[in-house]
Amino acid sequence: MSEVLSILSSALFMLIMIDPSDKILLVSLLREDFHIEDIRTLIVRANLIGFLLLFLFAVSGQIILQQIFHIDINALRVAGGFVLFKIGLEALESGGMMTLKKEKNILALAAVPVATPLIAGPAAITTAITLTAEKGLYHATAAIFIAILLTALTMFITLYVIKNVSKTTLGVFIRIIGMFTMAIGAQMMVQGVVGIYLLMTSAG
């Protein structure tokens, strides 16, 4: 039972890193120009690609970092926290976390920018690698899978249920999420700095 609760807690943290709020904005924007069937296909394809990317980093990310680039996991926390803090700041200031390039073919958006960086972005990738290092691959994979399911569910709810959401309401919602995103980014940076300090202290 404790393992299940731990996985759910990690999945919630991963979901925050993926940040469903800008997916709500994305689907709302797409509804203005594309058919629901095309958006539905986009949601499925983008989340599948996002899951595969995060799983790939969960499996190989730590090896690439430590054996090829010789980067400590705490340094990755600092970098990921900074990126997350910057994303949150931009959301707080502008009320949006994304810009959408107009495409005639909606499915051209599935891999870029929806799957990456909107789903498998720097913060989510950092979290996938960190979870594997701290909890193990099974734990990380389960957390990623649950978070991706919840992200897809959020996008489908927006597509079929939330039909009339004003851009002002979305802007306020995203600004609130941005503030919490900044706080999580700051916490990640602090954890990384403390981890580096303890590592240097023990080495000395």
Side-chain angles (χ1 to χ4, degrees), residues 8-59:
L8 291 177
S9 177
S10 297
L12 178 60
F13 187 70
M14 174 62 76
L15 183 65
I16 294 172
M17 296 300 101
I18 293 174
D19 182 24
S21 64
D22 58 353
K23 316 310 177 287
I24 295 174
L25 177 60
L26 169 71
V27 174
S28 299
L29 292 174
L30 291 176
R31 281 181 61 90
E32 298 176 1
D33 299 310
F34 298 101
H35 296 295
I36 287 182
E37 292 76 12
D38 293 331
I39 302 174
R40 183 175 62 222
T41 303
L42 169 73
I43 293 172
V44 173
R45 184 175 297 186
N47 279 279
L48 178 59
I49 295 172
F51 171 77
L52 292 175
L53 286 172
L54 291 175
F55 176 73
L56 178 63
F57 277 101
V59 171

Side-chain angles (χ1 to χ4, degrees), residues 58-85:
V59 171
S60 61
Q62 192 175 7
I63 297 174
I64 294 173
L65 285 175
Q66 295 183 352
Q67 296 189 13
I68 298 178
F69 294 105
H70 304 288
I71 299 175
D72 184 75
I73 192 69
N74 290 301
L76 185 64
R77 282 196 184 98
V78 174
F82 176 78
V83 171
L84 193 61
F85 185 89

Side-chain angles (χ1 to χ4, degrees), residues 95-139:
M97 293 187 179
M98 56 163 287
T99 55
L100 185 63
K101 180 181 178 182
K102 291 293 183 178
E103 291 279 357
K104 292 182 179 180
N105 180 11
I106 185 176
L107 297 183
L109 302 170
V112 180
V114 184
T116 181
L118 291 184
I119 294 176
I125 290 172
T126 300
T127 303
I129 297 172
T130 304
L131 282 177
T132 302
E134 295 179 348
K135 305 285 187 177
L137 181 59
Y138 170 78
H139 183 108

